[in-house]
Amino acid sequence: MADTVSLANSSAGFDPYTPVLANYYAPSLYLQSDLESGLLESRHGDRLLALPETLLRAIYTGLEYETGQAARLVLRHCGRMWGKEFFRRFAQELSDYYQKPLAELEMGLFLQNLKQAWKTHGWGLIDLDWTYKDQGVVVVSIRNSPFAAATPPHFKRPMGFLEAGLLATWFSQLTGQDLACVQTTSEALGAKSNLFILTAANRLKEAETWVDAGLSHEQILEKVLQPAP
């Protein structure tokens, strides 16, 4: 079971008895701003923070200068902490809105809200490819990522450790499994989208080495899908 990614108590369709509600994450409703104080909050009352591109670039270059290769670990750890808080808020908001636990939401409704939440927060357009779900692997695609756009040009490999850490922790909390995530392509390097492979942590132990060696997304995915010896 450790190598399987699954969402409990979900189905591909919608429950006909579920009330049809407005888009919870519609930007005009979800983002609440106070011009006098300069504060930005969600409709749930949580404080939001806007990160300018110059700050993101400074984080990348500053961490590289101060910590070298350890910048990867720092970014991934920050992403994990961010993912933990994001999941807590997302689960609470949707549970309150639909009057049921997150685990009881239909799959279509869950994915619809996830995509809109990602977009409304300004993180790009996220899609999940379930082609390999029976083999315990999900491929995540993020387009128009501000984190990829802010990557300094001298980095020659995908640097989405922040997003990878977020995705790993977010889906670990969702499924109750120890999952890991690795970025295999980057818009900053000319790819059409940022691709991430999400699966059990023990299957990605060598993944960063494969990325550093210049293996393509397809090559890395093939290695991950190989059965354990």
Side-chain angles (χ1 to χ4, degrees), residues 43-118:
R43 65 188 294 183
H44 198 267
D46 293 306
R47 188 74 56 82
L48 301 176
L49 177 66
L51 297 177
E53 184 176 339
T54 51
L55 177 57
L56 290 176
R57 288 186 181 276
I59 290 174
Y60 282 124
T61 55
L63 284 175
E64 182 194 28
Y65 178 79
E66 293 291 341
T67 65
Q69 289 289 329
R72 303 180 181 188
L73 298 177
V74 175
L75 287 170
R76 192 180 296 277
H77 178 70
C78 289
R80 287 184 176 278
M81 297 299 293
W82 174 27
K84 184 177 181 180
E85 175 59 25
F86 175 46
F87 180 84
R88 181 201 64 77
R89 192 172 73 233
F90 183 83
Q92 182 178 359
E93 289 177 342
L94 291 191
S95 295
D96 291 346
Y97 192 58
Y98 292 104
Q99 294 297 298
K100 61 172 63 176
L102 183 66
E104 294 182 10
L105 284 185
E106 295 72 27
M107 176 64 85
L109 191 59
F110 163 79
L111 291 176
Q112 174 186 320
N113 278 280
L114 172 61
K115 291 179 180 182
Q116 186 60 56
W118 207 276

Side-chain angles (χ1 to χ4, degrees), residues 57-219:
R57 288 186 181 276
I59 290 174
Y60 282 124
T61 55
L63 284 175
E64 182 194 28
Y65 178 79
E66 293 291 341
T67 65
Q69 289 289 329
R72 303 180 181 188
L73 298 177
V74 175
L75 287 170
R76 192 180 296 277
H77 178 70
C78 289
R80 287 184 176 278
M81 297 299 293
W82 174 27
K84 184 177 181 180
E85 175 59 25
F86 175 46
F87 180 84
R88 181 201 64 77
R89 192 172 73 233
F90 183 83
Q92 182 178 359
E93 289 177 342
L94 291 191
S95 295
D96 291 346
Y97 192 58
Y98 292 104
Q99 294 297 298
K100 61 172 63 176
L102 183 66
E104 294 182 10
L105 284 185
E106 295 72 27
M107 176 64 85
L109 191 59
F110 163 79
L111 291 176
Q112 174 186 320
N113 278 280
L114 172 61
K115 291 179 180 182
Q116 186 60 56
W118 207 276
K119 180 180 179 180
T120 297
H121 282 83
W123 302 339
L125 305 175
I126 186 171
D127 281 296
L128 278 67
D129 181 354
W130 301 96
T131 302
Y132 311 101
K133 65 181 179 63
D134 291 339
Q135 295 163 274
V137 174
V138 174
V139 176
V140 181
S141 170
I142 301 176
R143 292 181 289 118
N144 302 327
S145 166
F147 305 101
T151 303
H154 67 275
F155 286 114
K156 301 304 180 185
R157 57 101 69 211
M159 292 296 294
F161 298 103
L162 194 67
E163 291 164 295
L166 183 155
L167 290 168
T169 296
W170 209 91
F171 281 93
S172 291
Q173 300 234 19
L174 182 66
T175 63
Q177 301 177 49
D178 181 20
L179 304 181
C181 183
V182 62
Q183 184 183 13
T184 56
T185 69
S186 174
E187 291 173 313
L189 299 176
K192 293 182 179 180
S193 67
N194 306 280
L195 293 180
F196 298 81
I197 296 175
L198 181 69
T199 187
N202 65 323
R203 300 174 68 176
L204 291 180
K205 291 180 179 179
E206 300 181 59
E208 294 298 346
T209 302
W210 298 334
V211 176
D212 288 336
L215 271 64
S216 67
H217 169 78
E218 290 74 19
Q219 290 172 318

